[in-house]
């Protein structure tokens, strides 16, 4: 695996992680209702949930990689289309971040478990990883080494992203509730995702 592939994976992962989904809405809800103390347990829970979903996905991808080069190539093309779809959907999203403050008193362990369950059991998580990861895997490089590097990178970014969202939501609540700021954020991220998908298709066409 080349440094360029790793850098592209890290950049694309960063863009995808900041898109507000069920996990981020949960993180923001706890932070809005209970402040900065929720940041660490929620971030740990999110990382554990992503570890669960990503590991299951990588094992399935590894089986496909070993079984058929053609199937793996088709999966990469489908994944590129999925990135474009996500980008268009994000670009057209509204400017609201619908997260209601959670004021129910719960322990740090329960918050962490809640974040893990929401992240790991979201049906879209495994679908996302199966479509996304093949874009960056090299069939001629050891799969298990790539799996270790990609998981470590993604989980580090996921932890930092969840921690950042929680801290911002607890300290600067006006930002996460500002429709204009969210709209600009969505359109920028959507444009970058569409560009990533098109670039992947172009690379496949050039091979």
């Amino acid at each position: 695996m080349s440094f360029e592939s790793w850098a592209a994976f890290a950049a694309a992962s960063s863009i995808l992680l900041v898109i507000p989904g069920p996990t981020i809405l949960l993180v923001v809800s706890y932070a809005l209702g209970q402040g900065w103390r929720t940041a660490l347990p929620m971030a740990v829970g999110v990382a554990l949930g992503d570890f669960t979903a990503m590991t299951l996905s990588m094992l399935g991808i590894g089986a496909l990689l070993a079984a058929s080069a053609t199937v793996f190539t088709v999966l990469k093309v489908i994944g590129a289309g999925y990135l474009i779809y996500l980008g268009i959907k994000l670009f057209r999203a509204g400017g609201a971040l619908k997260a209601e403050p959670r004021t129910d008193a719960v322990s740090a362990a329960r918050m962490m478990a809640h974040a893990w369950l929401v992240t790991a059991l979201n049906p879209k998580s495994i679908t996302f990883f199966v479509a996304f990861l093949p874009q960056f895997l090299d069939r001629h490089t050891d799969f298990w080494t790539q799996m270790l590097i990609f998981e470590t990178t993604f989980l580090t970014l996921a932890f930092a992203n969840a921690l950042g969202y929680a801290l911002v939501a607890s300290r600067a609540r006006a930002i996460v509730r500002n429709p204009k700021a969210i709209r600009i954020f969505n359109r920028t991220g959507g444009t970058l995702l569409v560009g990533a998908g098109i670039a992947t298709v172009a690379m496949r066409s050039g091979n």
Side-chain angles (χ1 to χ4, degrees):
M1 179 179 59
S2 66
F3 174 79
E4 289 75 13
S5 294
W6 174 84
F9 172 81
S13 296
S14 298
I15 297 170
L16 289 162
L17 280 168
V18 296
I19 298 173
T23 297
I24 292 304
L25 292 179
L26 180 69
V27 170
V28 171
S29 293
Y30 271 110
L32 288 174
Q34 302 186 36
W36 63 268
R37 77 178 188 88
T38 66
L40 184 59
M42 294 301 289
V44 171
V46 169
L48 290 174
D50 278 324
F51 171 76
T52 302
M54 194 173 185
T55 298
L56 292 174
S57 302
M58 289 287 279
L59 292 175
I61 291 169
L64 286 174
L65 185 62
S68 171
T70 301
V71 171
F72 188 71
T73 300
V74 170
L75 189 61
K76 294 187 75 168
V77 174
I78 293 174
Y82 185 57
L83 289 179
I84 294 173
Y85 163 77
L86 286 177
I88 293 173
K89 184 178 179 181
L90 181 61
F91 189 89
R92 298 176 62 183
L97 189 61
K98 298 178 181 179
E100 296 299 324
R102 297 183 65 98
T103 56
D104 47 318
V106 295
S107 66
R110 289 191 63 182
M111 281 189 283
M112 183 174 65
H114 195 180
W116 172 72
L117 284 172
V118 169
T119 305
L121 300 182
N122 181 3
K124 293 182 179 179
S125 295
I126 293 180
T127 302
F128 159 71
F129 284 126
V130 170
F132 176 65
L133 289 170
Q135 313 303 314
F136 307 96
L137 288 172
D138 184 351
R139 295 192 75 253
H140 305 292
T141 302
D142 180 66
F143 173 77
W144 299 107
T145 300
Q146 293 181 87
M147 179 176 174
L148 176 62
I149 293 172
F150 284 145
E151 284 213 34
T152 301
T153 300
F154 191 90
L155 296 179
T156 300
L157 293 172
F159 176 86
N161 181 66
L163 188 69
Y165 258 109
L167 292 176
V168 169
S170 64
R171 300 282 184 171
R173 301 182 181 189
I175 294 178
V176 298
R177 290 185 167 180
N178 186 322
K180 184 177 180 180
I182 298 299
R183 188 176 299 111
I184 293 172
F185 175 81
N186 286 343
R187 291 182 176 178
T188 301
T191 301
L192 291 173
L193 281 179
V194 171
I198 292 175
T200 301
V201 172
M203 285 190 295
R204 294 304 309 167
S205 300
N207 288 341

